[in-house]
Amino acid sequence: MYYVYILANLTNTVIYTGVTNDLCRRVYEHRQHLDPNSFTAKYHVTKLVYYDASPTVTDAIEREKQIKGWNRKRKNKWIASMNPEWKDLFETLEQ
């Protein structure tokens, strides 16, 4: 299984979209700032606000590209439709 995910900072003003085959591991890496020079570390983007599973990496990458092509208003609306309070979903994942 492959995942498209969106992370936000604490004030939901900065978001990041990515793809992974291990969502728990990847979000953990973002949270721990394992790459201190990364975008997510620089802007403290650590809150998992959206994720979706795809059966193939090709499907997941296609979905990521689609989401990245949206303007910010559309992304915000999409996240709010799935997660109205922009809660951190990391704790709901099976680890």
Side-chain angles (χ1 to χ4, degrees), residues 6-92:
I6 300 176
L7 302 176
N9 65 348
L10 290 178
T11 58
N12 303 326
T13 57
V14 180
I15 61 173
Y16 172 86
T17 305
V19 170
T20 185
N21 66 343
D22 186 337
L23 188 58
C24 290
R25 175 191 50 80
R26 190 67 182 120
V27 174
Y28 175 83
E29 290 171 355
H30 288 298
R31 287 174 173 252
Q32 298 303 311
H33 306 301
L34 295 184
D35 178 358
N37 299 317
S38 69
F39 177 88
T40 56
K42 182 177 180 180
Y43 294 100
H44 307 286
V45 180
T46 59
K47 184 170 61 166
L48 180 65
V49 293
Y50 167 83
Y51 66 93
D52 190 18
S54 296
T56 69
V57 68
T58 306
D59 291 342
I61 291 170
E62 186 65 31
R63 184 70 174 141
E64 178 195 31
K65 287 179 182 178
Q66 180 185 37
I67 292 169
K68 284 185 172 184
W70 295 347
N71 64 33
R72 180 58 194 262
K73 183 177 180 181
R74 185 170 179 188
K75 290 175 190 177
N76 286 354
K77 192 174 180 180
W78 178 255
I79 294 165
S81 74
M82 306 293 194
N83 184 359
E85 296 177 19
W86 289 58
K87 290 183 179 180
D88 189 350
L89 304 174
F90 184 70
E91 301 304 323
T92 67

